[in-house]
Amino acid sequence: MCVVAVEELLPQLAGLRIERVETSPEALRITAVTRDDISRACSGCGQMSQWTHSRYVRRVADEAVGGHPLVIDLSVRRLYCENPDCPKVTFVEQVDGLTERYQRRTPALRRVVEAVAVALAGSAGARLLTVLHHVLSGATVLNCLMRIALPDRPVPPVAGIDEFALLKGHRYATIIIDADTGERIEVLPDRRAATITTWLREHPGVHTVCRDGSGGFAQATRAADPTIVQVMDRWHLWHGLAEAAWKEVTAHGSCWGKFGPPLREGKRAASTRERWRQIHELLDAGVSLLECARRLGLTLNTVKRYARHSEPDRLVRTPTYRPGLVDPYRDHLRKRRLAGACPETTALAGHLRSFADLLTPDGGNAEALTGWIAQAHAADLPFLHSFANGLERDRAAVDAAVTLPHHNGRTEGVNNKIKLALTPNSGR
């Protein structure tokens, strides 16, 4: 391959003296030398110099040519710095577009590796680079990824915040994004309130924070700036109500059992009824919940669960059924037996429908929510009472959720992508 053809194909070698070009099945190797009559800038002070101290050969990998890896053996000068005030006595010259300090890859190849690392990281990125005729280990690709300087991102006026597990049950981190655009802004090393408070104080441009029901996020935001508007995510509101509704339906399984096969009987059902009787006898006698738990040897949460129910049969589950021939007609049969089977469950359905209407943001929803909470407390539905109490404890954020258009959906989407990336073999 002639020198002229090499310089035309590889413009980054322009200005060098090419001494030899060798081709082999493994690689294309070019031997080149920098010119002695060109001045280079000192890496310490920037002053130009061409006073040669010595030479040595650098081996630099470049982008593949014709399906072959390209290796450049480049003889470079070590130059004296002619500035007497510079702390550096000598420095190594750098060739624009070809060499960088402490790097064994050209800037062009570095950009290719970084692009692959950003997209795939680790072992998946190493496998793709092999197809591009560059053999790197997964650890090297990760190191390249970690060396990439993070871009300066503007502080989002509306921030979405959520946590994700680095090691489930042990290590967690926090993701912060622009809730309007979905752009990732920051990843904090943990989920502690102090860490989040510090970040918010260092980024005073945030005026709205979208979050889930986490008390830690709420506390951290208030500590950073009480004027920041907190918006509870509407999906989490609906999810919390769905869980409360499921508990209510389960508790009223005995009502539906009156129209079908009898409830399960046996030692467990008898034990449940006896425990309900003991707890309610103590409560009727004026004994506190904590004292009931101490006397009966039960946990406080167990005593609370039994205390919520006015009838012991609500704690006895109805039997489950296997799929059968009647399944296509089950909805019709349920409608036929709805004549007052369970007034509480019928009321619960009404509360669910009215709350669903509040999940479409509107300026008047805050006042309507006050009425909904009052109706929920008036109903004989203890699990719905607990849900309503949670709304009142975080009322400002809930009001913002049902009146403002902001939500945390984009944060959850980013979080899912992170979880997929952290899952082993997810890139295969």
Side-chain angles (χ1 to χ4, degrees):
M1 182 182 295
C2 67
V3 173
V4 175
V6 170
E7 292 183 350
E8 290 179 353
L9 291 174
L10 305 172
Q12 64 269 36
L13 300 181
L16 302 178
R17 187 173 75 249
I18 299 174
E19 295 187 336
R20 186 168 57 255
V21 178
E22 300 174 323
T23 59
S24 68
E26 292 78 21
L28 172 64
R29 187 178 299 275
I30 298 176
T31 303
V33 181
T34 59
R35 291 168 51 185
D36 291 327
D37 59 344
I38 296 179
S39 297
R40 301 292 185 185
C42 173
S43 58
C45 64
Q47 181 167 318
M48 305 300 289
S49 173
Q50 58 179 353
W51 182 8
T52 303
H53 171 276
S54 59
R55 277 185 176 273
Y56 76 99
V57 176
R58 292 183 64 177
R59 178 164 293 174
V60 184
D62 201 354
E63 293 181 281
V65 175
H68 296 278
L70 173 59
V71 179
I72 303 170
D73 292 330
L74 179 64
S75 175
V76 296
R77 296 172 294 169
R78 180 174 288 277
L79 303 171
Y80 287 105
C81 181
E82 300 182 26
N83 179 7
D85 298 327
C86 180
K88 285 184 172 292
V89 178
T90 64
F91 65 94
V92 176
E93 66 177 335
Q94 304 297 332
V95 180
D96 293 340
L98 188 62
T99 64
E100 294 178 318
R101 296 183 70 193
Y102 311 119
Q103 295 297 314
R104 300 174 64 181
R105 288 180 284 273
T106 64
L109 179 56
R110 173 181 55 80
R111 289 191 290 270
V112 171
V113 174
E114 289 178 351
V116 172
V118 169
L120 297 175
S123 58
R127 290 193 295 272
L128 178 57
L129 285 170
T130 301
V131 178
L132 300 176
H133 309 290
H134 301 292
V135 179
L136 296 177
S137 67
T140 301
V141 176
L142 285 178
N143 289 336
C144 294
L145 177 63
M146 299 303 294
R147 283 199 299 265
I148 299 175
L150 295 177
D152 293 331
R153 300 185 185 277
V155 178
V158 183
I161 186 169
D162 199 6
E163 64 184 25
F164 63 92
L166 295 170
L167 181 60
K168 192 170 184 179
H170 298 277
R171 290 180 56 207
Y172 288 83
T174 301
I175 182 75
I176 299 176
I177 74 162
D178 186 327
D180 289 333
T181 65
E183 182 182 13
R184 305 179 196 189
I185 302 298
E186 186 64 272
V187 176
L188 304 181
D190 53 57
R191 59 177 178 179
R192 293 184 301 171
T195 303
I196 300 168
T197 298
T198 300
W199 189 90
L200 289 172
R201 286 175 176 170
E202 293 174 350
H203 300 78
V206 178
H207 63 68
T208 303
V209 169
C210 301
R211 59 171 177 82
D212 56 19
S214 171
F217 291 157
Q219 177 186 354
T221 305
R222 283 194 298 268
D225 185 356
T227 64
I228 293 178
V229 177
Q230 300 189 42
V231 181
M232 171 79 79
D233 186 52
R234 289 186 287 278
W235 182 89
H236 285 89
L237 287 175
W238 184 250
H239 181 68
L241 179 59
E243 289 185 336
W246 175 254
K247 293 175 182 178
E248 290 289 2
V249 172
T250 303
H252 287 268
S254 58
C255 300
W256 301 103
K258 297 174 184 177
F259 293 83
L263 296 175
R264 286 177 177 156
E265 296 295 340
K267 293 183 179 180
R268 185 171 182 178
S271 174
T272 298
R273 292 188 175 94
E274 177 61 21
R275 182 173 293 173
W276 180 91
R277 184 189 62 78
Q278 293 172 348
I279 291 173
H280 278 266
E281 284 183 354
L282 292 174
L283 293 176
D284 292 342
V287 180
S288 67
L289 292 171
L290 187 60
E291 181 62 17
C292 286
R294 189 189 65 80
R295 292 187 186 183
L296 298 176
L298 303 173
T299 65
L300 181 60
N301 285 337
T302 299
V303 174
K304 288 181 178 179
R305 182 162 59 88
Y306 277 80
R308 288 192 189 105
H309 298 286
S310 58
E311 299 177 11
D313 285 347
R314 291 185 177 181
L315 291 159
V316 181
R317 294 179 179 271
T318 55
T320 57
Y321 302 95
R322 294 181 179 179
L325 296 176
V326 76
D327 286 348
Y329 311 99
R330 196 174 297 279
D331 291 338
H332 172 72
L333 294 175
R334 287 196 181 107
K335 292 178 181 179
R336 292 290 303 271
R337 69 185 190 188
L338 276 178
C342 182
E344 292 84 359
T345 306
T346 303
L348 174 64
H351 290 302
L352 291 174
R353 284 191 291 268
S354 57
F355 190 85
D357 295 335
L358 299 177
L359 296 180
T360 301
D362 185 83
N365 281 350
E367 183 178 354
L369 179 63
T370 301
W372 187 92
I373 292 176
Q375 294 174 3
H377 281 304
D380 183 18
L381 299 167
F383 292 104
L384 196 64
H385 295 174
S386 298
F387 175 75
N389 291 337
L391 297 182
E392 291 182 317
R393 285 193 297 268
D394 204 6
R395 184 60 193 273
V398 176
D399 282 350
V402 298
T403 57
L404 299 178
H406 309 303
H407 59 85
N408 220 24
R410 293 185 179 91
T411 315
E412 295 292 341
V414 171
N415 219 344
N416 284 336
K417 292 180 181 178
I418 293 174
K419 291 175 183 177
L420 289 174
L422 293 176
T423 302
N425 300 324
S426 62
R428 295 185 179 181

